[in-house]
Amino acid sequence: MKELPLAEVYRLIEPGPVVLLTTRARGRANVMTMSWHMMVEFTPPTIACVVSGDDFSFGALRDTKECVIAIPAVGLAEKVVAVGNCSGRDRDKFATIWLTPLPAGQVAAPLVAECFANLECRVVDTRLVNKYSLFVLEVVKAWVDPGQPKPKTMHHIGKGTFVVDGETIHFDSRMP
């Protein structure tokens, strides 16, 4: 065994695929890249996510209490990284990165047309926002693009490095 610096532990536990989080506040849509999220409950589907107070999207999410989590396939990797490398404070990231906003059904934040799945969410718990920037979201409507084959997602493991998910394996399980 070799000792691992504590600042690199997150690379081992990164919980899920890199996603895009969209918001709409004061008539303006924004999109950010996010990889710090996890499922909290099956039904209703509940997700916890960290949105830094330094991110432009933080204010919109805190104020409107709604967003969309759009799940991109690995084919969008360059765009996903480009979204994460700029701020919505000074530009329209949808236009700059060439992403297509679509109207959602239950929230004002837009869906992302290029993503294979979009989850419309409402904030249901903010008790950990001040301390950890952690929002708890309930998925109120979910969309998938049936025209896309089984997508491969990307997972951030630090310092601009990503892992692409692999093959699907199946075992009998009592888990839903």
Side-chain angles (χ1 to χ4, degrees):
M1 289 285 199
K2 177 184 169 194
E3 187 173 337
L4 180 70
L6 294 178
E8 295 183 24
V9 167
Y10 79 94
R11 295 171 56 192
L12 301 173
I13 301 293
E14 195 61 46
V18 176
V19 299
L20 298 173
L21 182 134
T22 72
T23 55
R24 180 179 301 278
R26 295 176 278 293
R28 185 166 170 236
N30 190 46
V31 58
M32 67 169 275
T33 301
M34 179 175 72
S35 61
W36 291 46
H37 53 81
M38 68 177 185
M39 289 301 301
V40 176
E41 185 59 71
F42 293 112
T43 306
T46 308
I47 299 169
C49 68
V50 174
V51 178
S52 170
D54 295 333
D55 289 328
F56 183 66
S57 296
F58 178 89
L61 184 57
R62 186 191 58 219
D63 295 346
T64 66
K65 295 188 174 32
E66 59 182 35
C67 64
V68 168
I69 295 176
I71 307 170
V74 71
L76 289 176
E78 286 186 33
K79 289 185 177 196
V80 170
V81 171
V83 165
N85 284 337
C86 63
S87 174
R89 282 187 183 87
D90 52 16
R91 70 189 72 202
D92 176 346
K93 291 205 277 185
F94 278 97
T96 301
I97 311 299
W98 294 86
L99 291 172
T100 310
L102 296 175
Q106 301 289 319
V107 300
L111 309 177
V112 179
E114 291 80 4
C115 290
F116 72 87
N118 284 268
L119 309 174
E120 298 183 38
C121 301
R122 290 209 173 92
V123 175
V124 292
D125 193 335
T126 59
R127 288 177 287 180
L128 296 175
V129 170
N130 289 339
K131 187 168 185 174
Y132 297 109
S133 300
L134 187 133
F135 294 85
V136 179
L137 313 171
E138 181 179 324
V139 179
V140 295
K141 191 165 185 114
W143 304 86
V144 294
D145 182 349
Q148 292 194 31
K150 181 185 176 324
K152 290 186 177 274
T153 54
M154 55 190 236
H155 304 256
H156 186 247
I157 59 168
K159 301 180 182 175
T161 304
F162 299 84
V163 173
V164 177
D165 71 345
E167 68 182 89
T168 300
I169 60 174
H170 177 79
F171 298 95
D172 289 335
S173 173
R174 293 183 309 200
M175 300 292 292

